């Protein structure tokens, strides 16, 4: 899932300042948790680690899940670690 949303970010040329996870249990109880970042996330690895952090911090995987999702919001232009030289 993290890879899919990262590919969408790349295709749209944006980055995300908010990462969220959603879990739904068999009784349809649903929880959504999110984290707001100082620096925008752009890669699948960053998104994956943040989603795992949210799941662990909030102890959301304590019984079988019906649904698990990753979402991104607060889309901004990506920041660059280095300057691009003109050709």
């Amino acid at each position: 899932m993290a890879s899919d949303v990262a590919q969408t970010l790349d295709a749209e040329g944006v980055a995300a300042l908010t990462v969220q996870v959603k879990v739904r249990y068999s009784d349809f109880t649903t929880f959504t948790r999110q984290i707001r970042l100082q620096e925008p996330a752009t890669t699948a690895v960053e998104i994956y680690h943040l989603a795992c952090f949210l799941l662990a911090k909030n102890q959301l995987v304590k019984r079988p899940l019906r649904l698990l999702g990753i979402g991104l919001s607060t889309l901004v232009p990506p920041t660059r670690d280095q300057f691009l030289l003109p050709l």
Side-chain angles (χ1 to χ4, degrees):
M1 283 185 273
S3 180
D4 289 344
V5 293
Q7 286 177 359
T8 302
L9 282 179
D10 188 44
E12 297 294 326
V14 293
L17 284 173
T18 306
V19 176
Q20 73 177 21
V21 294
K22 179 181 281 192
V23 298
R24 181 170 296 143
Y25 300 105
S26 60
D27 64 356
F28 288 91
T29 303
T30 304
F31 292 99
T32 304
R33 297 293 182 263
Q34 65 183 22
I35 186 169
R36 177 70 186 246
L37 308 170
Q38 295 290 331
E39 295 293 321
T42 56
T43 67
V45 172
E46 290 173 314
I47 296 165
Y48 173 79
H49 284 118
L50 290 164
C52 289
F53 168 77
L54 287 168
L55 291 170
K57 177 184 175 204
N58 296 287
Q59 300 176 355
L60 295 176
V61 186
K62 29 185 185 180
R63 55 187 171 157
L65 300 176
R66 179 180 193 86
L67 172 136
L68 173 64
I70 298 174
L72 304 172
S73 60
T74 318
L75 304 178
V76 296
T79 58
R80 298 215 182 259
D81 291 330
Q82 65 184 51
F83 293 104
L84 295 178
L85 297 175
L87 299 175

